[in-house]
Amino acid sequence: MKAIGLALAVLAATAINASAAQAGDAEKGKKVFNKCRACHAVDKPQNRVGPHLVGVVGRKAGSVDKFRYSEAMKNAGIVWDDKNLSSYLEKPRDFVKGNRMAFPGLKDAADRDDVIAYLRTIK
């Protein structure tokens, strides 16, 4: 029984550390996001070349009104959580095959975590 309790404690600590590692820094993310500003608005729900990102975390992909998404994005069936955002931001063309985003991606995991932390502040 003690072994099970110890194992659960180790798992909980690991989960907390993994979560903290992925938390990112919103201030750094705001700077990294400058690469995205030409195509995506975050200050108001106004579409540009790309859809606005106000409230993107937790939103269903392909669901912003009045934005013309690719069929691939409209039918992706995903919700923008931390994991999906990170995978998409790393390699947009690979994560949702057939989408129209021309951005090649953010290769650095810390940059992705920071951008996601910043996007979490945009409500």
Side-chain angles (χ1 to χ4, degrees):
M1 206 54 148
K2 285 184 181 180
I4 293 172
L6 180 59
L8 289 174
V10 169
L11 284 173
T14 302
I16 289 168
N17 288 337
S19 175
Q22 292 179 359
D25 181 319
E27 283 303 311
K28 288 180 183 176
K30 186 175 184 178
K31 291 176 186 163
V32 176
F33 188 80
N34 284 330
K35 297 176 183 183
C36 314
R37 285 191 191 282
C39 297
H40 296 282
V42 292
D43 56 338
K44 57 186 168 184
Q46 178 181 15
N47 297 324
R48 294 184 181 164
V49 172
H52 73 80
L53 299 178
V54 176
V56 68
V57 178
R59 185 167 72 204
K60 183 179 181 271
S63 66
V64 169
D65 287 339
K66 299 180 184 172
F67 185 78
R68 198 182 65 145
Y69 288 99
S70 64
E71 287 300 313
M73 190 59 76
K74 285 193 285 190
N75 298 317
I78 60 175
V79 172
W80 294 123
D81 60 14
D82 289 6
K83 181 181 175 190
N84 287 333
L85 280 166
S86 183
S87 295
Y88 184 70
L89 290 172
E90 182 177 15
K91 291 184 179 179
R93 295 278 181 164
D94 289 351
F95 187 69
V96 177
K97 300 237 186 252
N99 83 81
R100 291 192 285 248
M101 189 154 109
F103 185 69
L106 294 173
K107 304 306 175 209
D108 186 275
D111 283 349
R112 292 192 308 273
D113 290 344
D114 292 344
V115 167
I116 293 165
Y118 173 62
L119 291 174
R120 287 188 159 286
T121 70
I122 309 301
K123 308 263 182 211

